[in-house]
Amino acid sequence: MKVYCEYLNNPVGIDREHPRFSWVVDEDISKQKAYRVVVRREESGQIVWDSGVVDSDETLNIPYNGLRLETAQTYQYTVEIFCSSGAVIKKEDNTFTMGIMEQPVWRAAWIGGPWMEVQAFWFRTSFEIKKPVRTAFVYVISPNYYVLSVNGHRCGDAVLQNANTDPAKTLLYAAYPVEASLLQGENVIGIELGNGWKALSLGQTDAGVGEHMFSLQLRIEYTDGTYEWIYSDPDNWSYTKKGPVHENSIYHGEFYDAQDELPGWDMPGFSMEESGAEWFDAVEFEPEEGEVRAQCLEPIRVVKTMKPAKIYEIADGSYTFDMGQNFAGWARLRVCGERGTKIRLVYSELEYADHTVNQISLRHVRATDTYVLRGEGIEEYEPRFTFHGFRYVQVFGLPQKPDEYTLTGCVVRSDVERIGQFSCDNALLNQFQSNICWTEESNLHSIPTDCPQRDERLGWTNDMTVRNECALYNYRLASLYTKWLGDIRDTQGKKTGAITDTAPFRVFGCRPADPVGASLVLLPWNMYLHYRDVRILEENYDAIKRFLRYLEKNTTDYIMRWATMGDWAAPIGDNDVNSIGGGAVSLVTPPRMVATAFFYYECTLMEKIASVLGKKEDVDYYKDLSDKVKEAFLKTYYNRAGKYVGLNSQGGNTIALYFGLIPEEDRHYVMENLVKDIVETRNYHLTTGNLCSRYIIEVLLTNGYRDVAYKLLTQTTYPSWGYMIEKGATTVWERWEEIVSEDSCLSKMASYNHPMYGAVGVCFYKYFAGILADEEQPGFKNVIIRPVIPEALKHVEACVDTMRGRVANTWFVGEHSFKMKTQLPFNTTARIYIPKANANTVYTNIKVNGRDIYEKGTVVDGNCREEEYYIVLFAEAGTYVIECN
């Protein structure tokens, strides 16, 4: 049995007063009859909550309801479940550790160095310990990136701390258990402080905001039961600017001179006077104004390392390392040479024909790390305060010819759990699935970003509108998405309710956001479907209401008054080449039309959310509002005579069909217009952008055009996903076009690692594998298995490790047969849709685990029902082998 507290394994530093518990049972026992959760203080064993035996089959998000949880205390909890078979399963070794639960949460001063400098700053303080220590935690807040150490020991394995927020609205503290590093007598805390997001402009231009600041609280609990707090205070901290990191910028890279290292600077006994560096007393800073909360999400880590696939020697004496894969992170350098030797690492996603790096997709970013050797044997370097999106690294100044150990690729991202796997008998689709996952992973750095390489790396609500559902099938993102929804709420106007295009709001984007940036509505709803998370609906409900009220006020006769992006970055021939984003605004699918369609969709989702929360008046309000928007949309954009939407584009017809805007009696005719354009006019190519390219495949798959959808997904000529792969892509591009020269206007927006066009990968799980959540029983309490099988696809295998356990489905199509194996986890039910025919074969006999359920064209099992295209099997937890012939 696996257990989770707030979706995390043994979390440290959480601050929920009523944390929630979930569990997954691997045993092959079908039903939970009851559960019991017991929570104890780890030190004393005192029971602080005993749920008692609760008659319930629920396994998700059970809230703690005991004594008040205390600051810095670790609690052990036991989950015991009672099964209908009489079996009892227990898991005891589970813990969670609280953060700061007292008020005020934060008492420490904000301190730093009052200089506008591009280098990092080094801060240290010392203090005495005179009694044995039981536990100790350091809590740190900083809008800059930092590295924390205690007595020379780096604290934890997280990198790029703290999580990215708007510090004027939200301040997240990270918690570090440090008792193992403390000593009797003198102790030293050290903080290396880079620019990060706070001093981003400083790192870019050598001018601008230069605030290098942090706040720190240390809580020490002694074995005698007493405790004390030590707070950052300018009187007790010193800092220097004279250290090895001469420059650092998220976008541009890091300059590290190992000759200027300060050995022992963060250890007891270090003499600042004799160090050769000038040390200053710290200065108090004006506190950031955001609300202080715990950083309750997976940290960013180096999650994987990789060796170069190829190494090329360049004519100028440099070497280009091809990692064989585009990804986000950095390179770890291993080298030896004379003191003062300067080595430059220049990153890129592309290479020229001579294997030198091509930085066209980086825009204004230098993406260069520089390392100067100290000249003492083998030296290793990796940056602290930057990250890059790259496949290639051109290295200048190496003292000797490199080998495979000279450069190691470090994959850096939020350490969320991979939960989904998909494969099939089509190699191109398998590569596409790989590209989707590498792209998603490259864009998870405490927020879901748009790209990891250029001067952006922002959380765009537009992209995430379509991207989030695919990501939820591939990764466990409950904590990260909960945090990011808070970032969106932080952007919301107090008076208007408008949100912004990016969250946190910086560098790019507008307020108000384009109405297609519907993430504030879609994310809570999809998290509810995948995790049965009612709290996420409650936490965002008021913000969604205010946002929809703002949209409603900014309509004219229920048509949106503005839209900036719409169906973004369609094939260039269908766009206004003089528009924003390097010609990314569609000419064939008007943005205001798309915005109005999204407003309707958001209202229908809000009607569902209000229903879940029992808000009857709001259910009625949003039903009425959506009806009015639908009527206005049809009046303004629907051609009833021609049976098409707008300009009869693929995107216009798709969006109206997907959102349910087309009158039922006309859907077939609109589908015919859509398919005619795809097949006859475009020869199986798309004219859609980032939004409708995801929806068009779903519309085709759910309306009987599975083979058309499959041909679009496997198309290899421009514009198509396969075209990217044919051109060697290992991640998903931002545009349909291959852009390798600055001569193209498209070069203004030419990321080669951009998740939005990978959103269509949700169809691999929902339709090809047929794994769907049930709105009526969310969180996969009831699973829907309903595969859609194109004629050319003969084999699919997929699984999703849901919060209730693994749901898996595999199928094979034979010459005149069909076989499917479905795995359902403990305590779930399912409706399994078994196809009655495929291609030219009609199945008249179906067996499940060797037992006949459909014989000679007749249902012979009471757990089944017959529909037009399927035999529906009502199943409980277990494994089902289905054979059709």
Side-chain angles (χ1 to χ4, degrees):
M1 182 163 59
K2 299 177 183 176
V3 298
Y4 300 89
C5 178
E6 290 297 327
Y7 300 106
L8 302 171
N9 292 304
N10 301 328
V12 174
I14 64 173
D15 61 354
R16 294 281 188 180
E17 292 183 358
H18 302 281
R20 300 169 301 172
F21 307 106
S22 304
W23 49 90
V24 175
V25 177
D26 299 323
E27 285 82 351
D28 189 17
I29 305 170
S30 67
K31 288 289 185 181
Q32 174 181 297
K33 185 175 64 174
Y35 70 81
R36 183 185 183 191
V37 180
V38 179
V39 181
R40 295 176 172 85
R41 287 180 67 116
E42 185 179 62
E43 179 193 12
S44 65
Q46 174 197 2
I47 294 177
V48 295
W49 182 50
D50 185 342
S51 70
V53 177
V54 180
D55 292 330
S56 170
D57 65 354
E58 187 54 79
T59 62
L60 282 186
N61 294 321
I62 306 300
Y64 171 86
N65 193 27
L67 299 178
R68 184 178 182 275
L69 298 171
E70 298 180 14
T71 296
Q73 297 305 307
T74 297
Y75 296 87
Q76 184 271 337
Y77 66 101
T78 298
V79 175
E80 188 175 16
I81 64 169
F82 305 88
C83 302
S84 56
S85 65
V88 178
I89 304 171
K90 182 185 288 189
K91 181 76 164 56
E92 296 181 302
D93 301 325
N94 325 296
T95 62
F96 63 93
T97 302
M98 301 309 295
I100 304 171
M101 303 303 293
E102 52 210 57
Q103 294 294 330
V105 174
W106 210 257
R107 292 179 169 87
W110 283 80
I111 64 174
W115 303 86
M116 293 178 64
E117 305 278 5
V118 295
Q119 70 260 45
F121 285 45
W122 285 260
F123 294 84
R124 74 186 306 272
T125 189
S126 63
F127 57 96
E128 294 284 326
I129 291 181
K130 298 180 180 180
K131 296 188 293 185
V133 173
R134 190 180 78 82
T135 63
F137 292 89
V138 175
Y139 306 98
V140 181
I141 301 175
S142 179
N144 305 76
Y145 284 157
Y146 69 86
V147 177
L148 173 72
S149 59
V150 173
N151 293 330
H153 301 287
R154 179 167 176 163
C155 297
D157 57 359
V159 297
L160 303 179
Q161 288 274 51
N162 269 15
N164 186 358
T165 68
D166 177 355
K169 301 293 181 61
T170 296
L171 296 166
L172 300 180
Y173 65 81
Y176 303 88
V178 298
E179 59 270 10
S181 298
L182 294 179
L183 307 169
Q184 292 294 299
E186 184 187 10
N187 290 264
V188 173
I189 297 176
I191 285 192
E192 301 175 60
L193 201 63
N195 288 320
W197 289 102
K198 175 65 175 179
L200 179 64
S201 60
L202 174 69
Q204 286 180 260
T205 63
D206 298 354
V209 177
E211 293 180 320
H212 292 78
M213 57 193 297
F214 69 93
S215 189
L216 177 148
Q217 300 188 160
L218 166 63
R219 185 186 189 276
I220 304 173
E221 184 173 339
Y222 299 102
T223 56
D224 63 7
T226 62
Y227 69 91
E228 69 172 318
W229 286 92
I230 297 174
Y231 301 113
S232 54
D233 183 290
D235 294 338
N236 299 322
W237 284 77
S238 302
Y239 74 95
T240 184
K241 302 180 293 174
K242 180 64 173 176
V245 182
H246 290 196
E247 298 177 13
N248 69 102
S249 164
I250 291 172
Y251 293 157
H252 292 319
E254 187 174 289
F255 188 110
Y256 188 99
D257 190 340
Q259 299 174 107
D260 293 333
E261 290 177 338
L262 298 167
W265 72 276
D266 56 352
M267 297 178 66
F270 177 78
S271 171
M272 291 184 285
E273 291 77 11
E274 298 175 6
S275 67
E278 187 176 10
W279 290 81
F280 306 90
D281 293 332
V283 174
E284 185 172 8
F285 275 59
E286 184 67 20
E288 294 283 10
E289 296 179 354
E291 178 185 354
V292 175
R293 297 201 303 270
Q295 184 172 288
C296 189
L297 73 164
E298 298 87 350
I300 300 171
R301 292 189 173 104
V302 176
V303 299
K304 180 181 180 181
T305 59
M306 52 204 302
K307 295 296 182 184
K310 296 178 182 177
I311 303 173
Y312 299 100
E313 185 171 2
I314 310 302
D316 62 2
S318 64
Y319 294 86
T320 295
F321 294 75
D322 176 2
M323 306 309 299
Q325 173 65 53
N326 199 7
F327 65 97
W330 51 67
R332 179 185 298 150
L333 178 67
R334 188 174 188 270
V335 68
C336 61
E338 294 183 5
R339 183 176 178 84
T341 301
K342 181 188 295 185
I343 299 174
R344 286 192 304 124
L345 291 75
V346 183
Y347 298 80
S348 73
E349 296 184 291
L350 306 173
E351 63 171 350
Y352 290 111
D354 64 354
H355 300 300
T356 57
V357 293
N358 178 355
Q359 292 190 318
I360 180 64
S361 66
L362 306 190
R363 238 159 29 195
H364 305 295
V365 168
R366 292 195 299 272
T368 300
D369 294 332
T370 301
Y371 179 71
V372 181
L373 275 66
R374 61 180 172 272
E376 298 176 0
I378 296 175
E379 303 177 38
E380 285 195 358
Y381 162 74
E382 57 187 283
R384 292 159 168 76
F385 305 122
T386 189
F387 68 98
H388 310 285
F390 68 101
R391 173 175 172 170
Y392 305 95
V393 188
Q394 189 172 353
V395 183
F396 298 85
L398 285 174
Q400 58 272 133
K401 187 172 183 177
D403 58 26
E404 63 175 324
Y405 301 104
T406 302
L407 211 69
T408 300
C410 296
V411 181
V412 178
R413 63 168 171 86
S414 291
D415 194 10
V416 297
E417 181 182 356
R418 175 77 180 270
I419 63 167
Q421 302 290 336
F422 171 88
S423 64
C424 66
D425 63 320
N426 184 292
L428 185 142
L429 291 184
N430 291 338
Q431 182 62 52
F432 188 23
Q433 167 70 0
S434 173
N435 290 10
I436 290 167
C437 291
W438 273 105
T439 307
E440 186 65 40
E441 292 187 15
S442 297
N443 285 282
L444 296 174
H445 294 94
S446 78
I447 64 171
T449 59
D450 61 328
C451 58
Q453 75 293 92
R454 69 181 180 216
D455 50 351
E456 199 162 345
R457 313 181 199 190
L458 305 176
W460 282 89
T461 57
N462 179 319
D463 298 350
M464 280 296 294
T465 293
V466 289
R467 164 186 163 196
N468 73 86
E469 192 178 6
C470 180
L472 285 168
Y473 272 97
N474 283 310
Y475 301 92
R476 182 155 291 132
L477 292 162
S479 297
L480 190 144
Y481 280 179
T482 297
K483 180 264 180 190
W484 189 60
L485 281 165
D487 294 329
I488 298 176
R489 295 195 304 272
D490 282 349
T491 74
Q492 192 164 36
K494 292 181 180 179
K495 179 178 180 180
T496 64
I499 62 171
T500 58
D501 282 325
T502 59
F505 187 42
R506 58 166 66 93
V507 185
F508 292 106
C510 299
R511 179 189 282 130
D514 190 307
V516 302
S519 298
L520 180 59
V521 189
L522 268 73
L523 242 67
W525 178 247
N526 284 334
M527 289 175 67
Y528 171 72
L529 291 183
H530 279 251
Y531 306 127
R532 196 198 64 86
D533 194 330
V534 177
R535 190 179 71 191
I536 204 70
L537 301 181
E538 295 170 338
E539 286 183 343
N540 290 280
Y541 193 78
D542 288 343
I544 297 171
K545 280 189 70 172
R546 295 181 62 231
F547 174 54
L548 294 184
R549 189 180 303 121
Y550 170 78
L551 293 181
E552 182 183 1
K553 288 173 63 177
N554 286 275
T555 62
T556 301
D557 297 327
Y558 298 102
I559 299 296
M560 295 308 309
R561 293 174 184 165
W562 92 103
T564 52
M565 291 178 286
D567 192 28
W568 185 250
I572 193 61
D574 298 301
N575 289 351
D576 177 359
V577 295
N578 296 314
S579 63
I580 59 174
V585 177
S586 176
L587 287 172
V588 298
T589 307
R592 286 181 64 202
M593 182 184 74
V594 177
T596 303
F598 262 96
F599 181 41
Y600 168 79
Y601 186 42
E602 289 168 299
C603 289
T604 63
L605 289 180
M606 188 55 165
E607 182 186 344
K608 293 180 180 181
I609 293 170
S611 179
V612 171
L613 299 181
K615 299 179 181 292
K616 181 63 169 59
E617 289 187 5
D618 286 348
V619 171
D620 295 340
Y621 180 84
Y622 287 106
K623 175 63 169 66
D624 179 67
L625 180 56
S626 64
D627 287 344
K628 291 174 180 176
V629 177
K630 181 176 184 176
E631 182 182 357
F633 181 92
L634 292 173
K635 180 181 178 180
T636 306
Y637 296 114
Y638 184 50
N639 187 312
R640 292 184 180 273
K643 309 299 185 194
Y644 61 80
V645 175
L647 302 176
N648 199 20
S649 71
Q650 294 176 13
N653 289 330
T654 289
I655 205 91
L657 285 162
Y658 186 87
F659 292 161
L661 283 158
I662 301 299
E664 189 62 34
E665 63 272 17
D666 288 357
R667 286 183 63 86
H668 173 70
Y669 302 106
V670 177
M671 280 300 308
E672 285 186 335
N673 277 323
L674 174 61
V675 173
K676 181 179 179 181
D677 187 78
I678 294 169
V679 176
E680 298 179 15
T681 306
R682 305 289 176 170
N683 191 24
Y684 292 99
H685 292 87
L686 297 172
T687 63
T688 48
N690 68 331
L691 305 177
C692 295
S693 294
R694 175 262 170 93
Y695 295 133
I696 196 169
I697 299 299
E698 292 201 59
V699 165
L700 292 167
L701 288 172
T702 55
N703 285 276
Y705 292 94
R706 60 194 68 186
D707 294 324
V708 176
Y710 184 78
K711 287 184 179 181
L712 285 172
L713 284 167
T714 56
Q715 175 66 262
T716 58
T717 56
Y718 170 83
S720 67
W721 293 284
Y723 174 76
M724 302 179 194
I725 293 169
E726 288 288 302
K727 291 294 183 179
T730 61
T731 44
V732 182
W733 298 353
E734 181 178 20
R735 308 195 78 127
W736 296 113
E737 294 78 22
E738 182 184 31
I739 305 161
V740 296
S741 169
E742 291 185 4
D743 295 337
S744 169
C745 71
L746 306 180
S747 64
K748 298 175 183 177
M749 198 184 80
S751 166
Y752 279 79
N753 194 343
H754 210 91
M756 63 189 190
Y757 275 119
V760 73
V762 71
C763 297
F764 297 168
Y765 292 99
K766 288 176 65 175
Y767 302 109
F768 290 163
I771 300 172
L772 298 108
D774 184 349
E775 286 189 17
E776 300 303 317
Q777 298 186 67
F780 293 96
K781 182 69 174 71
N782 185 68
V783 184
I784 299 172
I785 302 292
R786 188 167 54 208
V788 176
I789 305 170
E791 184 175 355
L793 197 59
K794 304 302 181 185
H795 168 56
V796 160
E797 183 171 356
C799 65
V800 181
D801 291 325
T802 76
M803 286 297 293
R804 297 190 193 271
R806 173 162 292 188
V807 176
N809 199 40
T810 302
W811 54 257
F812 300 86
V813 176
E815 187 174 354
H816 298 292
S817 64
F818 174 77
K819 184 174 182 179
M820 186 163 74
K821 181 179 179 181
T822 303
Q823 177 185 336
L824 304 173
F826 169 84
N827 206 43
T828 60
T829 59
R831 297 196 303 274
I832 303 175
Y833 289 74
I834 306 167
K836 295 197 301 185
N838 186 61
N840 298 318
T841 300
V842 177
Y843 308 124
T844 57
N845 296 285
I846 300 175
K847 292 179 182 290
V848 176
N849 293 341
R851 177 174 52 85
D852 290 320
I853 65 165
Y854 188 66
E855 189 174 8
K856 296 180 181 180
T858 302
V859 172
V860 294
D861 189 290
N863 289 324
C864 299
R865 74 165 183 240
E866 186 170 6
E867 296 186 355
E868 183 177 4
Y869 300 110
Y870 295 96
I871 301 297
V872 184
L873 171 66
F874 295 88
E876 295 185 347
T879 300
Y880 297 84
V881 177
I882 300 163
E883 299 170 283
C884 307
N885 54 53

